[in-house]
Amino acid sequence: MTQTCPSGATLAEAEEFLAEHPEIEAVDIVLHDSNGIGRGKIIRRHELASLYKSGRHMPISILGLDICGEDVHETGLIWDQGDGDLRAWPIPGTLKALHNTQPPRAEVFMSLYDLDGAPMTSDPRHALARQVAEFAKRGLKPAGAFELEFFLLAKDRGPDGKVRPAADVLDGRESRKTEVYSVDHLHGMLPLFSDIYAGAAKAGITAETMISEYAPGQYELTLHYREDVMQAADDLIRLKRIVRQQARAHGVVACFMAKPIADYAGSGMHFHVSLMNDDGKNVFAEGAGEGWRPELLHALGGLRATMAESMLVFAPHLNSWRRFANQSYAPVSTNWGVNNRSVALRVPAGEVRARRIEHRPSGVDANPYLVAATVLAGILHGLDLKIDPGPETVGNGYEDDGASNMPRDWGAAIAAARASDFLKKALGGDMHRTFTEVKAAELARVARTISDVDFDLYLHTV
């Protein structure tokens, strides 16, 4: 039975894609849960047209899973709903061929809807779409881009049981040095990076500068600014899949943990955001001889005011909290500053027309849809209430002690998020409940796990 697709995808898109890609044999259909994990199915080529005609039934419980793929009954998405089926529909413009796959495959992003076509409100994409719609009511359009930091690790751990940086895929050379900004160091990974760029190009993503980052085996890949912030989130989550797939093809492991190596910096997912008005003008950009625009300052004020209760979105896992340490390039306060990488909210130097806020708290393990939704809601909160951000931090932002309300660990962040009226409004009630209950279940899982650290510390001493 053919139904009207509520996402706006059309059968013509699928037919044109199949005509252009006779080599494609199968398609990954991917729905992203509250952790940003892609869940779905692999369908055969002949099934693609029916996907665009009628969608695909998927169980409601697919959005109520924890990081291990286990049901979290407290979300209300399992037996409270009889684990019934809803309908997933393809997202327009997300059907892309995959690079370097055998047999040749494609992928398409999906979003979940009720059977009557209403958005299923525990789907992270819908949470972001709601915030974009709120800006549209005010004649504003958010634009932005994410930065992707990641580690390339060896498949096997070292003799001490710890992960170790991958050797160069070109010649097998190993390095345990930080190699920050080393161009020569990048050369050893060029075959892998070439495949990453090829995969990005095939997906319509403009991946730009590659950097050897501030830890052994750590890299950063920047993405082209998007006028559509939803597309920016799609770019980030798709690029993670590309990096992981191509790393595997070259015999190494792409790691998106926030802090995989104890003695070095972790991996962030900085979000650059600006606002365009109906005339296409950046409302954050000051005129010649002017000071900072009120819109920029109020946006900063809103982000500062809502950051503490939102930290669970930016640091959603136990490992996320290992990234926050003084002088580690991860922010530990709600401060803001200009051209300053020690603050949480950075206004980069550069061309005025590109004036933007760089939101720095998120780790690369966070869900970009929820990060963007929460950041946009914080900006809107500041604009609506005309919140003053306070004085700019100059110099070492790690010496700023003005963050006494910031949660200091995962458990405190979960408690703050659960109690937050702001976050309920930002994500929507259903998405807020789903996300916080999943996090609470994961905390309980960790709490009842007896780790090797317990035995190292206590087995022969107490």
Side-chain angles (χ1 to χ4, degrees):
M1 180 179 67
T2 301
Q3 291 183 267
T4 301
C5 177
S7 71
T10 65
L11 177 59
E13 181 181 351
E15 291 174 337
E16 290 171 8
F17 179 85
L18 293 174
E20 291 173 4
H21 296 278
E23 79 283 2
I24 295 295
E25 296 185 19
V27 182
D28 299 355
I29 61 174
V30 186
L31 179 74
H32 295 98
D33 67 9
S34 63
N35 277 314
I37 295 174
R39 303 193 186 275
K41 305 178 181 183
I42 300 177
I43 63 173
R44 305 306 296 171
R45 177 187 179 89
H46 70 271
E47 298 178 87
L48 186 64
S50 66
L51 183 73
Y52 278 75
K53 289 179 182 177
S54 306
R56 190 82 173 211
H57 280 130
M58 287 192 183
I60 191 172
S61 58
I62 201 169
L63 294 180
L65 304 176
D66 68 7
I67 196 74
C68 297
E70 300 284 351
D71 290 339
V72 178
H73 298 281
E74 292 81 2
T75 61
L77 301 180
I78 318 298
W79 299 123
D80 289 3
Q81 307 284 338
D83 196 18
D85 281 344
L86 298 183
R87 199 178 297 275
W89 290 92
I91 303 302
T94 65
L95 177 58
K96 306 290 183 181
L98 295 174
H99 174 66
N100 197 23
T101 57
Q102 287 297 329
R105 298 196 332 274
E107 71 176 3
V108 63
F109 287 177
M110 310 287 287
S111 204
L112 203 60
Y113 292 81
D114 293 332
L115 297 180
D116 64 2
M120 195 283 171
T121 47
S122 288
D123 184 323
R125 284 187 67 95
H126 294 318
L128 177 52
R130 283 178 59 253
Q131 290 302 323
V132 172
E134 286 299 317
F135 278 88
K137 292 176 184 177
R138 295 159 173 81
L140 296 170
K141 184 178 181 180
F146 289 91
E147 296 176 10
L148 180 67
E149 295 181 356
F150 59 95
F151 281 80
L152 294 175
L153 303 176
K155 288 194 295 185
D156 300 319
R157 298 190 185 187
D160 58 0
K162 296 180 180 179
V163 298
R164 55 199 179 96
D168 291 351
V169 299
L170 186 63
D171 56 16
R173 184 177 74 89
E174 295 187 12
S175 173
R176 297 293 181 266
K177 296 181 290 184
T178 299
E179 307 274 17
V180 64
Y181 279 86
S182 168
V183 176
D184 288 344
H185 179 62
L186 294 175
H187 291 169
M189 290 292 183
L190 279 181
L192 169 54
F193 295 155
S194 294
D195 273 330
I196 290 172
Y197 281 118
K202 212 166 192 177
I205 298 171
T206 306
E208 299 184 326
T209 307
M210 181 72 75
I211 300 169
S212 179
E213 260 289 356
Y214 204 66
Q218 187 185 35
Y219 302 88
E220 180 187 292
L221 189 57
T222 60
L223 292 166
H224 189 68
Y225 219 66
R226 293 286 197 180
E227 292 183 1
D228 179 351
V229 76
M230 182 73 79
Q231 196 169 28
D234 284 345
D235 284 352
L236 190 284
I237 212 158
R238 193 188 296 272
L239 190 58
K240 286 176 71 173
R241 287 173 58 81
I242 291 170
V243 171
R244 184 177 281 118
Q245 290 164 354
Q246 300 312 317
R248 181 180 295 172
H250 284 271
V252 300
V253 175
C255 175
F256 300 106
M257 291 172 63
K259 183 81 166 178
I261 301 176
D263 296 332
Y264 291 95
S267 293
M269 188 180 72
H270 303 161
F271 179 37
H272 295 252
V273 61
S274 58
L275 297 179
M276 315 303 288
N277 63 20
D278 287 338
D279 296 326
K281 181 182 178 182
N282 181 358
V283 302
F284 286 166
E286 68 275 14
E290 293 182 347
W292 299 119
R293 292 285 301 167
E295 292 88 348
L296 177 69
L297 294 175
H298 294 154
L300 290 165
L303 291 172
R304 291 199 71 193
T306 58
M307 188 179 296
E309 59 200 294
S310 303
M311 280 303 298
L312 184 63
V313 173
F314 311 141
H317 309 294
L318 173 64
N319 180 259
S320 308
W321 291 84
R322 304 193 192 284
R323 175 171 160 261
F324 298 105
N326 276 335
Q327 301 181 36
S328 64
Y329 290 96
V332 294
S333 181
T334 66
N335 48 12
W336 75 278
V338 180
N339 196 24
N340 187 336
R341 286 184 171 83
S342 67
V343 298
L345 302 168
R346 175 177 174 251
V347 179
E351 292 185 75
V352 172
R353 65 184 180 88
R355 186 69 68 218
R356 64 194 185 273
I357 296 171
E358 180 186 1
H359 184 273
R360 297 174 59 81
S362 297
V364 74
D365 55 343
N367 182 332
Y369 300 114
L370 297 186
V371 169
T374 304
V375 169
L376 293 184
I379 290 173
L380 205 59
H381 180 72
L383 294 177
D384 287 349
L385 298 182
K386 294 181 170 50
I387 297 175
D388 186 335
E392 171 194 350
T393 293
V394 178
N396 187 353
Y398 295 111
E399 295 177 349
D400 188 343
D401 61 359
S404 59
N405 65 331
M406 287 282 278
R408 293 300 181 185
D409 58 43
W410 192 30
I414 292 172
R418 274 179 146 173
S420 171
D421 290 333
F422 163 77
L423 205 56
K424 290 175 187 174
K425 183 178 179 182
L427 303 181
D430 291 338
M431 185 72 252
H432 175 269
R433 182 189 66 251
T434 297
F435 179 64
T436 55
E437 291 299 342
V438 165
K439 295 295 106 183
E442 291 171 1
L443 175 62
R445 177 189 289 271
V446 170
R448 65 176 178 263
T449 300
I450 301 173
S451 69
D452 289 342
V453 172
D454 288 84
F455 293 109
D456 289 344
L457 293 177
Y458 310 122
L459 180 62
H460 298 294
T461 56
V462 297

